[in-house]
PDB file of all heavy atoms in Angstrom:
ATOM      1  N   ALA A  13      -4.074  22.775 -14.610  1.00  0.00           N
ATOM      2  CA  ALA A  13      -5.057  22.992 -15.713  1.00  0.00           C
ATOM      3  C   ALA A  13      -4.583  24.168 -16.527  1.00  0.00           C
ATOM      4  O   ALA A  13      -4.355  25.236 -15.950  1.00  0.00           O
ATOM      5  CB  ALA A  13      -6.434  23.241 -15.040  1.00  0.00           C
ATOM      6  N   PHE A  37      -7.503  22.395 -24.352  1.00  0.00           N
ATOM      7  CA  PHE A  37      -7.359  22.539 -22.939  1.00  0.00           C
ATOM      8  C   PHE A  37      -6.861  21.168 -22.404  1.00  0.00           C
ATOM      9  O   PHE A  37      -7.066  20.141 -23.054  1.00  0.00           O
ATOM     10  CB  PHE A  37      -8.693  22.753 -22.134  1.00  0.00           C
ATOM     11  CG  PHE A  37      -9.334  24.019 -22.479  1.00  0.00           C
ATOM     12  CD1 PHE A  37     -10.671  24.233 -21.916  1.00  0.00           C
ATOM     13  CD2 PHE A  37      -8.827  25.019 -23.263  1.00  0.00           C
ATOM     14  CE1 PHE A  37     -11.376  25.420 -22.250  1.00  0.00           C
ATOM     15  CE2 PHE A  37      -9.546  26.174 -23.486  1.00  0.00           C
ATOM     16  CZ  PHE A  37     -10.830  26.355 -23.047  1.00  0.00           C
ATOM     17  N   PHE A  39      -4.545  19.086 -18.869  1.00  0.00           N
ATOM     18  CA  PHE A  39      -3.730  19.047 -17.611  1.00  0.00           C
ATOM     19  C   PHE A  39      -2.337  18.767 -17.934  1.00  0.00           C
ATOM     20  O   PHE A  39      -2.073  17.842 -18.743  1.00  0.00           O
ATOM     21  CB  PHE A  39      -4.235  18.118 -16.585  1.00  0.00           C
ATOM     22  CG  PHE A  39      -5.639  18.272 -16.173  1.00  0.00           C
ATOM     23  CD1 PHE A  39      -6.658  17.469 -16.718  1.00  0.00           C
ATOM     24  CD2 PHE A  39      -6.038  19.240 -15.343  1.00  0.00           C
ATOM     25  CE1 PHE A  39      -7.983  17.603 -16.382  1.00  0.00           C
ATOM     26  CE2 PHE A  39      -7.382  19.379 -14.899  1.00  0.00           C
ATOM     27  CZ  PHE A  39      -8.359  18.580 -15.429  1.00  0.00           C
ATOM     28  N   MET A  99      -4.923  30.145 -18.763  1.00  0.00           N
ATOM     29  CA  MET A  99      -4.685  29.878 -20.159  1.00  0.00           C
ATOM     30  C   MET A  99      -3.639  30.829 -20.730  1.00  0.00           C
ATOM     31  O   MET A  99      -3.749  31.999 -20.521  1.00  0.00           O
ATOM     32  CB  MET A  99      -6.026  29.986 -20.900  1.00  0.00           C
ATOM     33  CG  MET A  99      -7.120  29.114 -20.414  1.00  0.00           C
ATOM     34  SD  MET A  99      -6.698  27.298 -20.491  1.00  0.00           S
ATOM     35  CE  MET A  99      -8.109  26.627 -19.786  1.00  0.00           C
ATOM     36  N   ASP A 107     -12.176  30.377 -16.356  1.00  0.00           N
ATOM     37  CA  ASP A 107     -12.966  29.237 -16.018  1.00  0.00           C
ATOM     38  C   ASP A 107     -12.404  28.488 -14.802  1.00  0.00           C
ATOM     39  O   ASP A 107     -11.207  28.373 -14.613  1.00  0.00           O
ATOM     40  CB  ASP A 107     -13.067  28.239 -17.083  1.00  0.00           C
ATOM     41  CG  ASP A 107     -13.895  28.769 -18.242  1.00  0.00           C
ATOM     42  OD1 ASP A 107     -14.194  29.952 -18.301  1.00  0.00           O
ATOM     43  OD2 ASP A 107     -14.148  27.922 -19.195  1.00  0.00           O
ATOM     44  N   PHE A 108     -13.298  27.957 -13.919  1.00  0.00           N
ATOM     45  CA  PHE A 108     -12.971  26.989 -12.907  1.00  0.00           C
ATOM     46  C   PHE A 108     -12.642  25.658 -13.607  1.00  0.00           C
ATOM     47  O   PHE A 108     -13.047  25.432 -14.795  1.00  0.00           O
ATOM     48  CB  PHE A 108     -14.006  26.775 -11.945  1.00  0.00           C
ATOM     49  CG  PHE A 108     -14.467  28.026 -11.151  1.00  0.00           C
ATOM     50  CD1 PHE A 108     -15.710  28.113 -10.567  1.00  0.00           C
ATOM     51  CD2 PHE A 108     -13.625  29.083 -10.953  1.00  0.00           C
ATOM     52  CE1 PHE A 108     -16.033  29.261  -9.837  1.00  0.00           C
ATOM     53  CE2 PHE A 108     -13.961  30.231 -10.313  1.00  0.00           C
ATOM     54  CZ  PHE A 108     -15.206  30.290  -9.709  1.00  0.00           C
ATOM     55  N   HIS A 109     -11.936  24.790 -12.952  1.00  0.00           N
ATOM     56  CA  HIS A 109     -11.749  23.454 -13.355  1.00  0.00           C
ATOM     57  C   HIS A 109     -11.872  22.441 -12.183  1.00  0.00           C
ATOM     58  O   HIS A 109     -11.803  22.874 -11.048  1.00  0.00           O
ATOM     59  CB  HIS A 109     -10.341  23.231 -14.069  1.00  0.00           C
ATOM     60  CG  HIS A 109     -10.164  24.133 -15.260  1.00  0.00           C
ATOM     61  ND1 HIS A 109     -10.838  23.913 -16.446  1.00  0.00           N
ATOM     62  CD2 HIS A 109      -9.423  25.198 -15.481  1.00  0.00           C
ATOM     63  CE1 HIS A 109     -10.474  24.790 -17.302  1.00  0.00           C
ATOM     64  NE2 HIS A 109      -9.651  25.575 -16.751  1.00  0.00           N
ATOM     65  N   THR A 110     -12.068  21.239 -12.553  1.00  0.00           N
ATOM     66  CA  THR A 110     -12.121  20.200 -11.513  1.00  0.00           C
ATOM     67  C   THR A 110     -11.455  18.897 -12.042  1.00  0.00           C
ATOM     68  O   THR A 110     -11.100  18.814 -13.195  1.00  0.00           O
ATOM     69  CB  THR A 110     -13.599  19.795 -11.130  1.00  0.00           C
ATOM     70  OG1 THR A 110     -14.170  19.207 -12.259  1.00  0.00           O
ATOM     71  CG2 THR A 110     -14.449  21.018 -10.747  1.00  0.00           C
ATOM     72  N   CYS A 163     -12.082  16.859 -16.402  1.00  0.00           N
ATOM     73  CA  CYS A 163     -12.645  18.029 -15.821  1.00  0.00           C
ATOM     74  C   CYS A 163     -14.206  17.962 -16.016  1.00  0.00           C
ATOM     75  O   CYS A 163     -14.612  17.521 -17.061  1.00  0.00           O
ATOM     76  CB  CYS A 163     -12.013  19.291 -16.451  1.00  0.00           C
ATOM     77  SG  CYS A 163     -12.889  20.852 -15.891  1.00  0.00           S
ATOM     78  N   HIS A 164     -14.948  18.341 -15.035  1.00  0.00           N
ATOM     79  CA  HIS A 164     -16.454  18.350 -15.165  1.00  0.00           C
ATOM     80  C   HIS A 164     -17.049  19.687 -15.193  1.00  0.00           C
ATOM     81  O   HIS A 164     -18.233  19.846 -15.181  1.00  0.00           O
ATOM     82  CB  HIS A 164     -17.074  17.442 -14.150  1.00  0.00           C
ATOM     83  CG  HIS A 164     -18.093  16.556 -14.694  1.00  0.00           C
ATOM     84  ND1 HIS A 164     -19.173  16.974 -15.405  1.00  0.00           N
ATOM     85  CD2 HIS A 164     -18.229  15.139 -14.653  1.00  0.00           C
ATOM     86  CE1 HIS A 164     -19.926  15.931 -15.767  1.00  0.00           C
ATOM     87  NE2 HIS A 164     -19.366  14.784 -15.319  1.00  0.00           N
ATOM     88  N   VAL A 165     -16.241  20.746 -15.334  1.00  0.00           N
ATOM     89  CA  VAL A 165     -16.734  22.104 -15.494  1.00  0.00           C
ATOM     90  C   VAL A 165     -17.165  22.288 -16.905  1.00  0.00           C
ATOM     91  O   VAL A 165     -16.374  22.012 -17.852  1.00  0.00           O
ATOM     92  CB  VAL A 165     -15.704  23.173 -15.089  1.00  0.00           C
ATOM     93  CG1 VAL A 165     -16.209  24.593 -15.337  1.00  0.00           C
ATOM     94  CG2 VAL A 165     -15.305  23.006 -13.566  1.00  0.00           C
ATOM     95  N   GLU A 166     -18.415  22.800 -17.103  1.00  0.00           N
ATOM     96  CA  GLU A 166     -18.885  22.904 -18.456  1.00  0.00           C
ATOM     97  C   GLU A 166     -18.423  21.769 -19.322  1.00  0.00           C
ATOM     98  O   GLU A 166     -17.732  21.899 -20.350  1.00  0.00           O
ATOM     99  CB  GLU A 166     -18.255  24.219 -19.104  1.00  0.00           C
ATOM    100  CG  GLU A 166     -19.161  25.349 -19.270  1.00  0.00           C
ATOM    101  CD  GLU A 166     -18.451  26.581 -19.903  1.00  0.00           C
ATOM    102  OE1 GLU A 166     -17.836  27.301 -19.137  1.00  0.00           O
ATOM    103  OE2 GLU A 166     -18.438  26.677 -21.166  1.00  0.00           O
ATOM    104  N   HIS A 170     -15.282  21.541 -21.949  1.00  0.00           N
ATOM    105  CA  HIS A 170     -13.941  21.215 -21.419  1.00  0.00           C
ATOM    106  C   HIS A 170     -13.533  19.816 -21.771  1.00  0.00           C
ATOM    107  O   HIS A 170     -12.286  19.572 -21.967  1.00  0.00           O
ATOM    108  CB  HIS A 170     -13.895  21.454 -19.886  1.00  0.00           C
ATOM    109  CG  HIS A 170     -13.940  22.913 -19.525  1.00  0.00           C
ATOM    110  ND1 HIS A 170     -13.429  23.392 -18.331  1.00  0.00           N
ATOM    111  CD2 HIS A 170     -14.439  23.926 -20.166  1.00  0.00           C
ATOM    112  CE1 HIS A 170     -13.595  24.700 -18.254  1.00  0.00           C
ATOM    113  NE2 HIS A 170     -14.218  25.093 -19.411  1.00  0.00           N
ATOM    114  N   VAL A 171     -14.428  18.844 -21.869  1.00  0.00           N
ATOM    115  CA  VAL A 171     -14.067  17.468 -22.281  1.00  0.00           C
ATOM    116  C   VAL A 171     -13.727  17.529 -23.760  1.00  0.00           C
ATOM    117  O   VAL A 171     -12.669  16.962 -24.217  1.00  0.00           O
ATOM    118  CB  VAL A 171     -15.144  16.464 -21.924  1.00  0.00           C
ATOM    119  CG1 VAL A 171     -14.828  15.102 -22.587  1.00  0.00           C
ATOM    120  CG2 VAL A 171     -15.298  16.336 -20.476  1.00  0.00           C
ATOM    121  N   MET A 175      -9.652  17.881 -21.773  1.00  0.00           N
ATOM    122  CA  MET A 175      -9.214  17.769 -20.325  1.00  0.00           C
ATOM    123  C   MET A 175      -9.540  16.316 -19.783  1.00  0.00           C
ATOM    124  O   MET A 175     -10.482  16.212 -18.981  1.00  0.00           O
ATOM    125  CB  MET A 175      -9.955  18.843 -19.475  1.00  0.00           C
ATOM    126  CG  MET A 175      -9.736  20.245 -20.010  1.00  0.00           C
ATOM    127  SD  MET A 175     -10.089  21.558 -18.843  1.00  0.00           S
ATOM    128  CE  MET A 175      -8.704  21.618 -17.779  1.00  0.00           C
TER     129      MET A 175
HETATM  130 CU1   CU B  29     -12.257  22.456 -16.978  1.00  0.00          CU
END
Side-chain angles (χ1 to χ4, degrees):
F37 297 170
F39 302 101
M99 303 300 178
D107 291 10
F108 299 157
H109 300 287
T110 66
C163 174
H164 223 305
V165 173
E166 249 182 276
H170 288 206
V171 171
M175 305 193 85

